[in-house]
Amino acid sequence: MAFQNKNLSVIAYANGFTLWHYAAASDTVENITADGYFNNVKTLMNTGDIIMINASDNTTIKKVVVADTNITTAALA
C-alpha cells in the first residue's frame, strides 16, 4: 500500500530533531523503507530524524535521510 498520513505520528520533538512512529498493518518493512515512501511528508522530516516502524511483518528503527527530491531510510550506525 501507499503511505498514509494517519499512520504517522510524532513521539518527541526537540532542538530540530523528531522521533517518529509509523504503523501500517498492511505494509511490509521492505515497502515502508523503500526510497520515496515518505515523500508526501518531505517538508516535515529532516535528515537525522529517527523513525520507528511497525509493519505487517516486523518492527524496525531507521534514520531519515532527506535528499533534494527523495526521502530514504537507513540503518542506525
Side-chain angles (χ1 to χ4, degrees):
M1 286 192 77
F3 171 82
Q4 294 189 22
N5 286 340
K6 68 178 184 172
N7 294 338
L8 182 68
S9 58
V10 172
I11 294 175
Y13 174 83
N15 298 322
F17 166 81
T18 306
L19 177 60
W20 299 93
H21 178 256
Y22 189 77
S26 58
D27 272 345
T28 64
V29 169
E30 182 179 3
N31 289 342
I32 296 169
T33 58
D35 291 357
Y37 187 88
F38 292 102
N39 281 354
N40 289 345
V41 290
K42 189 170 85 169
T43 59
L44 302 176
M45 293 184 162
N46 295 302
T47 296
D49 286 355
I50 302 295
I51 187 164
M52 296 188 302
I53 298 169
N54 292 104
S56 63
D57 62 340
N58 210 343
T59 299
T60 189
I61 300 174
K62 300 286 186 178
K63 68 179 175 180
V64 174
V65 179
V66 179
D68 290 335
T69 59
N70 214 21
I71 289 184
T72 61
T73 58
L76 296 174

